[in-house]
Amino acid sequence: MTFFKGQGANQALADALTLAKCLDLSTLDRIPISLRKFEREMVQRAAPRALASRQAAHQIHSGSIDALREAMIFADFQGNPKDLVCALKHHGVSISTPNLLSTIRDIINQL
């Protein structure tokens, strides 16, 4: 899990508690069964958080951030970045927008 959602330590604590409960109720010959039960519960609980973390990492490292930064520098944008982000959302600009860099520049020029 990437650090973008701050869930790694929380999941580890929850894992420790779940594992302790599974093993506490188990006899020596049933430990493999208890471990499989723990794994199912852990994956079910942690998978959505891991996916959200992975999506956040992808968004942070996507080309849209680089294109936005490059366009702001190229256009010598001195305004509030929040205003620019709002304008981009208003115009429906996303990473899949054709000619992303020139679209961002055009919007900057309108601000």
Side-chain angles (χ1 to χ4, degrees), residues 18-97:
T18 303
L19 179 59
K21 286 179 180 178
C22 286
L23 292 177
D24 186 46
L25 301 173
S26 182
T27 59
L28 189 58
D29 61 324
R30 294 187 52 86
I31 287 178
I33 295 168
S34 296
L35 289 175
R36 283 192 293 277
K37 179 181 182 225
F38 158 73
E39 185 177 28
R40 278 192 311 273
E41 290 178 20
M42 183 264 305
V43 168
Q44 184 178 9
R45 183 188 65 255
R49 290 169 180 88
L51 176 60
S53 181
R54 194 167 38 251
Q55 288 170 337
H58 176 73
Q59 185 177 8
I60 292 295
H61 296 292
S62 72
S64 62
I65 300 296
D66 294 335
L68 179 58
R69 186 179 305 116
E70 184 180 333
M72 288 172 68
I73 292 168
F74 178 80
D76 194 29
F77 182 70
Q78 301 296 319
N80 185 338
K82 288 182 181 181
D83 294 337
L84 177 55
V85 169
C86 286
L88 293 172
K89 285 181 181 180
H90 175 75
H91 290 285
V93 176
S94 72
I95 187 66
S96 60
T97 299

Side-chain angles (χ1 to χ4, degrees), residues 1 6-17 42 45-47 49-50:
M1 184 176 310
Q7 285 291 318
N10 294 336
Q11 292 308 305
L13 291 170
D15 289 349
L17 180 61
M42 183 264 305
R45 183 188 65 255
R49 290 169 180 88

